[in-house]
Structures are given as C-alpha cells and as structure tokens.
Amino acid sequence: MVYRFIDENKKYFGLRWLCRHFGISIHCYYNYLKDNKCDYHRQREVIYERIKSIFYNNNRTVGHRAMKVFLSRYSIHLSKTTVHKYMNKTLNLAAVIMRKKLGYLSGKKHKICNNLLNQNFTVNEKNKV
C-alpha cells in the first residue's frame, strides 16, 4: 500500500523524501520494484503448509527435532533451529509432551504375612479355606 503510494507520487515529492517520511529504506523500495522476495515468501508458505500437514497427521506429537527428519524426507533441508522457529514462534505448534514416570521411591517394607495354606490350594467346599 505504501509502496504504491510512493510509486504514484515520487515525481511530485521525490523518492528519498517519501521513503524517509514513511520510514522505509530505499533498498526496500527497490526490492519491491524488483519483487525479489516473492519466491522466498512462496517457498516459505509451502514449508509452513508441509509442517502443518505433518504435525496434524501425526497426532500433534512431532517436535522440532523429528519434524526436521520428516521434512528432509520431502527434500526440504532446514536446520533444527529454523524448524523450531517456524513451529513454535510463527505457527504456534507445540508437541504434546508426555510426563516422565516417577522413579523408585524408597520406603518401609510391607508386612510379610505367614503362609497359612502351605501351598495347598485344593478346596472341597466354598469359603472353607
């Protein structure tokens, strides 16, 4: 929107004055004219869609480390840090984390009862042992 305004009015006000007034670098304006970043943004959107599909197809349990492996199977080679940034900051996708089970808790030993049956489990009548 701002770039179009600059395009239309640069003859009247001057390019440098308009860019300075809107707080835009002149390089940004020329990149807009060349449309250099268009392919980059399209490619990033494809990566975002691929991350979302992998995440939801795997029951929301895939973290950024496993996501890197899944993306490399689709010939998308990104660093673990970049995948983490895309998942957690940009797309707000966080894996479901299972809590760790508690380890051994030491305590008193249970009371050991005497063996009253002496391993004789044969019963002739109900409720008689």
Side-chain angles (χ1 to χ4, degrees), residues 4 6 14 16 25 34 43 52 56 63 72 77 83 89 92 95 102 106 110 123:
R4 273 190 268 146
I6 292 174
R16 291 183 189 275
S25 170
K34 292 179 187 176
Q43 181 183 9
K52 286 180 193 175
Y56 290 116
S72 64
H77 301 287
V83 174
K89 293 183 180 175
N92 292 327
L102 293 175
S106 60
H110 294 288
V123 180

Side-chain angles (χ1 to χ4, degrees), residues 34-64:
K34 292 179 187 176
D35 205 16
N36 284 343
K37 301 264 181 166
C38 186
D39 293 333
Y40 169 73
H41 291 296
R42 270 193 230 116
Q43 181 183 9
R44 199 168 62 178
E45 287 299 322
V46 169
I47 292 171
Y48 288 164
E49 291 302 318
R50 181 66 68 183
I51 288 174
K52 286 180 193 175
S53 68
I54 292 171
F55 184 74
Y56 290 116
N57 287 337
N58 289 299
N59 298 325
R60 302 176 183 183
T61 57
V62 179
H64 65 276

Side-chain angles (χ1 to χ4, degrees), residues 5-22:
F5 180 80
I6 292 174
D7 243 357
E8 294 166 0
N9 297 307
K10 67 182 174 185
K11 293 178 184 175
Y12 305 112
F13 298 104
L15 178 63
R16 291 183 189 275
W17 185 86
L18 284 170
C19 288
R20 201 175 325 122
H21 180 70
F22 287 113

